[in-house]
Amino acid sequence: PANATTATLTLDPTADTTSESNETAIVTVAAGPGYTVGAPSSATGTILNDDSPLFLALSYSQTSTGVIVNFNRPLNSAMLNLYDIQGDVFGAADLTLVGATNGHVRGSLVVDPNLQRATFVATAGRLPPDNYTLTLRGASDSFQDVPGQVLDGDANGSAGGNYVQTFVVNAP
């Protein structure tokens, strides 16, 4: 602004989900018509990599009819098994929602077009009041990203382990 002696410049790097090295940003300001630049005329900063090399479930939120899970990278939905009607050919269910009183919740998994969000919708509609446990299985035959990285469900820094969350649905 006119007559100002200082100015602030904010760099806002575009977020992505690609794990990469930290990057250096150098900003240099040069004098121009009607103003001068004192020392220092340049600044150096580091853009830190905030992307995990692992496939993670970033967050979940409950809905009246199930749950929504957000992932840090695109999900390989072709690998998923919600239930096995062929006599345990496909193994354990990859996603379970279990009520302490009402037991296993039957439903469907809807994966968003960007493949980074999955919504579990209960077949019966609204979830009845109960204490629920959501489990996403992190194993070589379950939740994986598109390149095939197994879900680090327990967020311990290595692929594998279940993502487990609990929540309560109260009576209306």
Side-chain angles (χ1 to χ4, degrees), residues 3-170:
N3 301 317
T5 58
T6 63
T8 300
L9 174 67
T10 302
L11 299 178
D12 187 13
T14 302
D16 63 21
T17 57
T18 303
S19 184
E20 54 201 344
S21 301
N22 293 340
E23 297 172 289
T24 301
I26 301 170
V27 176
T28 302
V29 180
Y35 67 93
T36 59
V37 176
S41 63
S42 66
T44 302
T46 302
I47 301 170
L48 300 176
N49 175 43
D50 63 352
D51 303 309
S52 172
L54 297 170
F55 180 47
L56 301 170
L58 297 177
S59 64
Y60 84 100
S61 56
Q62 76 182 68
T63 68
S64 63
T65 59
V67 294
I68 299 170
V69 181
N70 294 296
F71 299 95
N72 68 329
R73 291 204 293 264
L75 169 68
N76 180 356
S77 59
M79 290 294 300
L80 297 177
N81 169 41
L82 289 181
Y83 59 95
D84 187 354
I85 59 172
Q86 300 297 321
D88 204 29
V89 171
F90 299 112
D94 296 331
L95 181 150
T96 57
L97 183 60
V98 182
T101 303
N102 295 305
H104 285 268
V105 177
R106 292 177 184 237
S108 299
L109 190 66
V110 180
V111 178
D112 281 9
N114 71 6
L115 303 177
Q116 288 188 239
R117 175 179 288 186
T119 303
F120 178 81
V121 181
T123 301
R126 289 187 169 275
L127 295 174
D130 206 339
N131 293 323
Y132 290 92
T133 301
L134 167 69
T135 304
L136 277 60
R137 219 166 49 84
S140 61
D141 62 347
S142 62
F143 277 89
Q144 296 179 9
D145 64 8
V146 171
Q149 176 77 42
V150 173
L151 178 70
D152 177 12
D154 51 11
N156 68 354
S158 62
N162 296 340
Y163 177 79
V164 180
Q165 298 294 329
T166 59
F167 61 92
V168 176
V169 173
N170 295 312

